[in-house]
Protein backbone atom coordinates (compact mmCIF):
# COMPACT_ATOMS: atom_id res chain seq x y z
CA UNK A 1 0.00 0.00 0.00
CA UNK A 2 1.08 3.55 -0.70
CA UNK A 3 -0.32 6.87 0.52
CA UNK A 4 -0.41 9.79 -1.91
CA UNK A 5 -1.60 13.38 -1.64
CA UNK A 6 -3.74 14.96 -4.35
CA UNK A 7 -4.26 18.74 -4.46
CA UNK A 8 -7.83 19.33 -5.62
CA UNK A 9 -9.08 22.55 -7.19
CA UNK A 10 -12.69 23.58 -7.73
CA UNK A 11 -14.25 22.48 -4.45
CA UNK A 12 -16.65 25.12 -3.12
CA UNK A 13 -17.78 23.58 0.18
CA UNK A 14 -17.52 20.61 2.52
CA UNK A 15 -20.16 18.86 0.41
CA UNK A 16 -17.78 18.94 -2.55
CA UNK A 17 -15.12 17.29 -0.40
CA UNK A 18 -17.58 14.55 0.58
CA UNK A 19 -18.44 13.95 -3.07
CA UNK A 20 -14.75 13.62 -4.02
CA UNK A 21 -14.09 11.34 -1.04
CA UNK A 22 -16.96 9.03 -2.01
CA UNK A 23 -15.83 9.05 -5.64
CA UNK A 24 -12.27 8.07 -4.68
CA UNK A 25 -13.54 5.39 -2.31
CA UNK A 26 -15.31 3.64 -5.21
CA UNK A 27 -12.20 3.48 -7.40
CA UNK A 28 -10.45 0.10 -7.80
CA UNK A 29 -7.31 -0.13 -5.72
CA UNK A 30 -8.27 2.58 -3.23
CA UNK A 31 -8.12 1.34 0.35
CA UNK A 32 -9.03 4.65 2.00
CA UNK A 33 -9.54 8.28 0.98
CA UNK A 34 -9.82 11.37 3.17
CA UNK A 35 -10.60 14.73 1.55
CA UNK A 36 -10.32 18.11 3.25
CA UNK A 37 -12.11 21.16 1.89
CA UNK A 38 -10.06 23.39 4.22
CA UNK A 39 -6.73 22.29 2.71
CA UNK A 40 -8.09 21.34 -0.75
CA UNK A 41 -6.27 18.05 -0.45
CA UNK A 42 -7.03 14.35 -0.61
CA UNK A 43 -4.92 11.72 1.11
CA UNK A 44 -5.39 8.40 -0.63
CA UNK A 45 -4.18 4.99 0.51
CA UNK A 46 -3.96 2.84 -2.60
CA UNK A 47 -2.61 -0.38 -4.01
CA UNK A 48 -0.11 0.77 -6.68
CA UNK A 49 -0.58 -2.51 -8.55
CA UNK A 50 -4.29 -1.72 -9.04
CA UNK A 51 -4.33 2.03 -9.69
CA UNK A 52 -2.16 5.12 -9.94
CA UNK A 53 -2.48 8.87 -9.31
CA UNK A 54 -3.24 9.62 -12.98
CA UNK A 55 -6.27 7.28 -12.95
CA UNK A 56 -7.56 8.86 -9.75
CA UNK A 57 -7.03 12.35 -11.16
CA UNK A 58 -9.01 11.40 -14.27
CA UNK A 59 -11.92 10.18 -12.13
CA UNK A 60 -11.91 13.42 -10.11
CA UNK A 61 -11.78 15.51 -13.28
CA UNK A 62 -14.72 13.61 -14.80
CA UNK A 63 -16.72 14.83 -11.76
CA UNK A 64 -15.87 18.45 -12.60
CA UNK A 65 -12.94 19.12 -10.26
CA UNK A 66 -9.27 19.58 -11.11
CA UNK A 67 -6.18 17.91 -9.72
CA UNK A 68 -2.94 19.88 -9.52
CA UNK A 69 0.20 17.78 -9.84
CA UNK A 70 -1.31 14.27 -9.43
CA UNK A 71 0.81 12.17 -7.12
CA UNK A 72 3.41 14.89 -6.58
Amino acid sequence: MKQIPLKIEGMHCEGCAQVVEALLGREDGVQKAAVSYATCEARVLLDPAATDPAKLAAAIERAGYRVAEPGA
Side-chain angles (χ1 to χ4, degrees):
M1 292 303 207
K2 177 181 177 181
Q3 183 171 328
I4 62 161
L6 294 172
K7 203 72 166 158
I8 302 171
E9 299 172 345
M11 294 191 297
H12 303 288
C13 63
E14 189 59 42
C16 292
Q18 291 172 358
V19 167
V20 173
E21 190 170 297
L23 178 103
L24 288 170
R26 289 193 302 264
E27 289 295 307
D28 289 339
V30 173
Q31 179 80 18
K32 181 179 179 183
V35 180
S36 169
Y37 167 65
T39 63
C40 297
E41 187 173 77
R43 295 255 171 217
V44 184
L45 184 62
L46 59 87
D47 176 357
T51 194
D52 61 50
K55 288 180 185 176
L56 299 180
I60 291 168
E61 290 174 358
R62 280 192 303 273
Y65 304 97
R66 293 171 305 286
V67 177
E69 304 171 29

